[in-house]
Amino acid sequence: MINYVYQLVSPRVISIKYENIDFNDNVIVKPLYMAICHADQRYYTGNRDKKVLRKKLPMALIHECCGEVVFDKSKKFKKGQKVVLIPNVPGKYNDEIYENYGEGAKFLSSGYDGFMREYINISQDRLVPFENISLEVAAITEFISVGTHALERFKKISHSNKEKIGIWGDGSLAFIVSNILKKEFPNSKIIVFGKNPEKLSLFSFVDETILVDDIPEDYKIDHAFECAGGEGSSYAIDDIIKHIKPQGSVMLMGVSENRIPINTRDILEKGLTFVGCSRSGYKDFEKAVELMKDKKFQMRLKMIIQEQEEVKTIEDIHKVFRKDLNNPFKTVFKWNL
């Protein structure tokens, strides 16, 4: 069967690629809802190094998606069953190395076609079924799974004193991580440090929010999550090193395109542990779906979701990406192409 793949061929230019779908081995899924990530937006606007763009384009964007099964030869999935799609294609991994860090791992919408297709031909082990989760929320499961992956690593590596956990950042990633930590560590105080009072007002479920310019000199936390990213990463890491107690763990989650300086002298003196976290794997998706079954958790997620009009044409794709530029949180849309 001929399938339509909507590829970004150069910044702000989308073209259709025609391909044959193989029904023999994989599951055929019809995408229903998608969400835009900052990484997609950087490709769309051309805000990446030209060498990177030349290497990775053309490709279909979007790695956050939910859909319904159209066909599964093995009958493991039923026709019409709702699923979230995992964009990570594992490389070499084992009990010590997570699948998202394994050598040879690939990631859809980063050098390989993402989910902007008419139908998606995908392996069974890259699908996680779900029920009783609204489609617009299910669309951001991959984003939530990045938080559950960081949670998994944090649990394994951090010491048991978790009286105060600080999150640096006031965007979507900080919002997700704060929600997950509040649910997983109900006896800990979750404190969010940000720059924008309006965005911080959405974090009403945490124990405290503090503007980064107003952090008291003697304020202390046990562990920290850096979710600022971009140019803000450097300032956030500086603050964390200053305010974290000895032997605390720091989870680095914000993406920065440029190298940033880090105060290694104080890291050594305090005996801190820094852990880089990126992307996620199957178990992280399962954990994310489990968390989203909680209606209260779902309701909070809806606070950062802005649903745009249904995408029916290529011009509609351009519209949702243009509108996303003015949305500080998550843009979600129904896919009907």
Side-chain angles (χ1 to χ4, degrees):
M1 188 181 84
I2 300 298
N3 192 35
Y4 289 32
V5 181
Y6 298 85
Q7 289 186 319
L8 184 74
V9 295
S10 62
R12 301 177 193 271
V13 178
I14 290 175
S15 179
I16 300 175
K17 180 181 80 172
Y18 304 95
E19 66 173 14
N20 273 316
I21 278 194
D22 184 357
F23 280 72
N24 290 324
D25 299 322
N26 292 331
V27 183
I28 308 300
V29 175
K30 174 67 178 172
L32 295 177
Y33 271 77
M34 301 181 180
I36 296 176
C37 171
H38 288 321
D40 295 310
Q41 189 62 265
R42 285 193 289 269
Y43 284 118
Y44 179 77
T45 55
N47 192 23
R48 292 292 306 269
D49 186 279
K50 288 182 179 178
K51 290 182 180 176
V52 174
L53 292 175
R54 279 199 296 270
K55 181 181 178 183
K56 297 197 174 186
L57 300 184
M59 68 175 179
L61 298 176
I62 299 294
H63 55 265
E64 298 179 41
C65 177
C66 68
E68 65 179 9
V69 173
V70 175
F71 177 79
D72 179 13
K73 187 178 179 181
S74 74
K75 308 297 184 185
K76 177 181 178 182
F77 294 97
K78 298 176 183 175
K79 183 179 179 181
Q81 188 169 7
K82 301 296 186 294
V83 290
V84 289
L85 294 82
I86 303 175
N88 183 56
V89 181
K92 296 178 182 177
Y93 69 99
N94 52 43
D95 291 342
E96 301 291 330
I97 305 297
Y98 293 95
E99 66 171 69
N100 41 315
Y101 303 118
E103 289 184 12
K106 300 174 182 175
F107 194 78
L108 307 186
S109 84
S110 180
Y112 305 90
D113 281 329
F115 296 135
M116 279 193 155
R117 315 180 213 173
E118 183 183 13
Y119 294 99
I120 298 165
N121 182 2
I122 191 166
S123 174
Q124 286 182 354
D125 67 355
R126 299 296 89 190
L127 295 173
V128 176
F130 69 90
E131 294 178 345
N132 302 318
I133 300 172
S134 60
L135 294 175
E136 70 272 20
V137 173
I140 66 168
T141 303
E142 190 275 340
F143 192 60
I144 299 162
S145 74
V146 173
T148 56
H149 176 67
L151 170 71
E152 159 79 7
R153 301 194 70 192
F154 178 63
K155 283 180 174 177
K156 284 186 174 178
I157 207 162
S158 58
H159 61 66
S160 60
N161 189 357
K162 296 180 174 62
E163 183 184 350
K164 287 187 177 182
I165 303 174
I167 296 105
W168 264 256
D170 49 26
S172 300
L173 183 59
F175 188 89
I176 295 296
V177 170
S178 303
N179 263 293
I180 292 172
L181 294 176
K182 191 63 190 170
K183 190 170 176 58
E184 292 291 314
F185 300 105
N187 297 322
S188 299
K189 288 186 177 178
I190 307 300
I191 304 104
V192 176
F193 300 85
K195 297 180 69 173
N196 187 316
E198 187 177 350
K199 291 166 74 174
L200 281 177
S201 67
L202 288 182
F203 292 74
S204 56
F205 55 91
V206 302
D207 297 279
E208 189 176 7
T209 60
I210 299 177
L211 288 168
V212 289
D213 292 333
D214 297 335
I215 305 174
E217 282 292 316
D218 58 350
Y219 201 91
K220 297 296 179 186
I221 54 169
D222 298 295
H223 304 285
F225 286 70
E226 185 277 306
C227 300
E231 298 301 317
S233 287
S234 176
Y235 300 104
I237 293 171
D238 253 2
D239 278 345
I240 289 170
I241 294 171
K242 180 178 179 181
H243 294 284
I244 195 169
K245 292 179 181 177
Q247 288 190 244
S249 293
V250 183
M251 313 303 290
L252 298 177
M253 301 182 69
V255 177
S256 176
E257 291 296 320
N258 302 312
R259 294 181 181 182
I260 57 173
I262 294 181
N263 179 0
T264 55
R265 172 178 289 277
D266 287 351
I267 291 175
L268 301 181
E269 285 187 2
K270 288 189 174 184
L272 304 179
T273 301
F274 277 66
V275 181
C277 285
S278 178
R279 299 176 178 167
S280 56
Y282 187 89
K283 291 181 179 178
D284 305 311
F285 272 74
E286 282 190 318
K287 176 68 175 177
V289 168
E290 179 190 326
L291 289 174
M292 287 192 294
K293 289 177 182 175
D294 182 339
K295 294 296 181 185
K296 188 176 179 181
F297 192 81
Q298 275 195 57
M299 289 301 294
R300 281 184 188 159
L301 297 180
K302 287 181 179 178
M303 292 170 64
I304 61 165
I305 290 175
Q306 188 177 100
E307 185 173 345
Q308 295 296 337
E309 294 176 9
E310 185 176 355
V311 169
K312 298 179 179 177
T313 65
I314 288 179
E315 178 53 31
D316 292 339
I317 296 175
H318 293 299
K319 282 181 183 176
V320 294
F321 272 92
R322 285 198 297 265
K323 289 183 177 179
D324 179 67
L325 288 171
N326 296 315
N327 180 12
F329 293 105
K330 294 297 291 180
T331 296
V332 170
F333 56 91
K334 185 176 182 180
W335 179 254
N336 193 15
L337 264 172

